[in-house]
Amino acid sequence: MSALWTSDEIAKAVGGEAHGDFAVNGVAFDSREVGAGDLFIALKGETTDGHKFVDGAFGNGAAGAIVSEDCAHPHVRVADTMDALNALGAASRARADAKIVGVTGSVGKTGVKEALFAALDRSSPGDVHRSVKSYNNHTGVPLSLARMPAVTRYGVFEMGMNHAGELSALTQIVRPHVALITAIAPAHIEFFDSIEGIADAKGEIFQGLEPGGVALVPFDSPHRDRLIGWAEPYAETIWTFGKGEGADIRAVEAVRATTGTIVSAVLPEGELTYTVGLPGDHWVSNSLAVIGAVEAVGGDLAQAGLALAELSGLPGRGARSAILLEQGEALLIDESYNANPVSMKAALKTLAEEPVERRGAVLGAMGELGEDAERYHAELASPVADAGVAYAVLVGEPMQALADALGNSIDIVHVPDAAAALASLEGKIRPGDALLVKGSNYIGLARVVEALAGGKTPCST
């Protein structure tokens, strides 16, 4: 296998000077993630300087580094390491003869990115590259690009934003052949004047489309026409996906199965029936976006359908596990990574469909909702009631609004933090229950999930 980058290639890409002859097979800017044969990029941030960790990176096996200061190890010297990271990502994109898909949206973008990777990798194993974790910002996107092998057939890149203009910059680096928006929701709305402003910021992804590019837009979104307006100057083809009559990629039937949903879809040219391994209406929509992207890049739709049937939830994004109790088990649904009003309602709707004896929920506050935060939290009362939640642990000060809206309708405990949430679950969970855990990442509900799934729960009965 040829190296990902040689020192000469790196120096040429970033406009730097190579000191030492080396080759690397990976790229990282966190010294703790450096593995044998990796390139370490010493970024300077607001609170720390990667140059302090150069020795540690080489201790972990780094083969070379990009630095802007004196270095005793093999390296490429540049004036600015952040500029070098962007340049390396751009050079990687330029040399790759790959079909590139860019994914953004207020909700579901990481899940769609992973599902699309699985769908393409099913027919082209080892030839598909994607951004890992949620590396979707101004550092994560160029890093993900820099890690892409030159011989890649398909690349899938997630792009996020919380301010206008950010996606415009990212999409110019990614230069996708297909740009996909999953959904629009009031995530990060405290940084915008309106939800329409969020839609406009997401629409920036189309600005980077390659000539002949395809735009994928959610048909059932109230912002559909606004997004189409953003796509029209840049996309040769615009496809919509959804359940509504008139969608280009449309679910004409979706039937809940034992595991997931059976979907019959109509495409621009043909039909496809497949199973989505993950439950919920939102995953029907996500799967249509995936199928549309596979079609747009010329992938194998039959293999994509098989891959969708094998999907399982990601940690923090729908992963399911058992809570072991003294007299049986309960189902744990881990949605702890993040939350906004749309994703919270979707998770509660999925919980409502679980064929279980009782339903419980640990719901954490939703962040970055601005002056309407109280209203958004209070409006969760109806979805909680519709889900048939028997008991709820509400976490964080903003959840007071939901507690007030629910009143005495169900068993409620309102607590300040994750530790108190875990303690308050003692005696509540019974065998046969389903427990949803969801909240914004800053609330830290992943610790609750870890404790419950790790058998540390005080909730056995």
Side-chain angles (χ1 to χ4, degrees):
M1 180 184 296
S2 59
L4 179 64
W5 295 100
T6 66
S7 52
D8 288 342
E9 289 170 340
I10 295 168
K12 181 178 179 181
V14 304
E17 182 177 335
H19 295 264
D21 186 17
F22 60 88
V24 301
N25 294 311
V27 185
F29 52 62
D30 185 334
S31 62
R32 297 166 296 184
E33 296 183 357
V34 169
D38 281 354
L39 173 71
F40 175 63
I41 304 179
L43 298 181
K44 292 185 177 181
E46 294 180 1
T47 59
T48 189
D49 184 346
H51 292 84
K52 297 178 180 179
F53 306 101
V54 169
D55 289 341
F58 279 90
N60 288 338
I66 295 179
V67 297
S68 59
E69 299 178 2
D70 292 340
C71 179
H73 305 280
H75 66 278
V76 172
R77 180 76 177 260
V78 297
D80 186 294
T81 52
M82 186 64 227
D83 289 345
L85 172 60
N86 281 314
L88 191 64
S92 181
R93 173 65 184 89
R95 73 178 184 177
D97 186 22
K99 290 292 186 181
I100 304 296
V101 181
V103 180
T104 194
S106 301
V107 294
K109 53 185 175 291
T110 300
V112 166
K113 179 256 298 181
E114 291 294 324
L116 182 52
F117 169 80
L120 293 169
D121 191 64
R122 179 81 183 222
S123 59
S124 300
D127 292 331
V128 186
H129 177 78
R130 94 286 205 186
S131 47
V132 299
K133 301 180 182 178
S134 290
Y135 283 0
N136 61 21
N137 62 7
H138 68 289
T139 54
V141 169
L143 175 68
S144 297
L145 281 166
R147 290 172 166 176
M148 181 169 60
V151 295
T152 299
R153 184 174 181 183
Y154 301 109
V156 185
F157 296 91
E158 177 182 341
M159 288 177 270
M161 65 89 209
N162 55 21
H163 290 84
E166 292 176 342
L167 269 178
S168 180
L170 294 177
T171 193
Q172 299 297 338
I173 301 173
V174 175
R175 290 169 36 219
H177 297 94
V178 179
L180 186 166
I181 297 178
T182 59
I184 303 298
H188 313 301
I189 198 166
E190 71 171 311
F191 304 119
F192 295 89
D193 293 333
S194 64
I195 196 167
E196 288 78 15
I198 294 175
D200 290 341
K202 294 296 184 184
E204 293 172 9
I205 192 174
F206 302 126
Q207 295 176 351
L209 274 171
E210 289 286 87
V214 178
L216 283 164
V217 172
F219 181 86
D220 303 316
S221 170
H223 310 287
R224 175 191 65 213
D225 293 342
R226 195 178 194 95
L227 296 174
I228 289 174
W230 273 92
E232 284 176 335
Y234 307 102
E236 180 174 298
T237 302
I238 301 173
W239 285 343
T240 57
F241 61 91
K243 290 185 175 182
E245 188 73 38
D248 298 300
I249 302 159
R250 179 175 171 238
V252 294
E253 190 173 17
V255 180
R256 178 70 188 267
T258 304
T259 55
T261 306
I262 301 172
V263 180
S264 295
V266 175
L267 284 66
E269 296 183 8
E271 300 178 1
L272 183 69
T273 297
Y274 58 92
T275 298
V276 187
L278 293 167
D281 287 345
H282 58 298
W283 263 107
V284 173
S285 179
N286 288 347
S287 73
L288 295 170
V290 169
I291 291 297
V294 171
E295 173 85 337
V297 298
D300 188 319
L301 289 175
Q303 292 293 326
L306 293 174
L308 287 170
E310 297 171 351
L311 289 180
S312 59
L314 301 170
R317 296 182 173 91
R320 294 173 171 229
S321 58
I323 302 173
L324 301 180
L325 306 171
E326 291 179 0
Q327 299 176 11
E329 295 182 355
L331 171 65
L332 176 62
I333 304 173
D334 176 14
E335 291 275 4
S336 61
Y337 183 78
N338 219 335
N340 60 54
V342 170
S343 67
M344 190 74 87
K345 292 173 184 177
L348 287 164
K349 185 175 181 181
T350 301
L351 176 65
E353 297 171 353
E354 289 298 327
V356 294
E357 297 179 16
R358 286 197 320 159
R359 300 176 184 90
V362 179
L363 304 178
M366 302 176 290
E368 299 183 346
L369 294 179
E371 61 185 18
D372 289 327
E374 183 175 339
R375 174 175 63 83
Y376 283 123
H377 284 85
E379 287 176 349
L380 294 178
S382 291
V384 168
D386 292 343
V389 173
Y391 58 93
V393 178
L394 309 180
V395 191
E397 189 276 330
M399 273 293 172
Q400 182 62 53
L402 177 56
D404 292 341
L406 287 169
N408 298 320
S409 59
I410 63 171
D411 179 7
I412 299 172
V413 178
H414 183 209
V415 298
D417 53 39
L422 182 62
S424 69
L425 286 170
E426 184 168 3
K428 289 188 181 295
I429 306 175
R430 301 174 187 169
D433 284 4
L435 180 69
L436 169 68
V437 180
K438 186 167 182 65
S440 285
N441 198 35
Y442 82 93
I443 293 292
L445 295 185
R447 295 193 294 272
V448 174
V449 171
E450 182 180 3
L452 293 175
K456 302 174 184 177
T457 172
C459 312
S460 300
T461 181

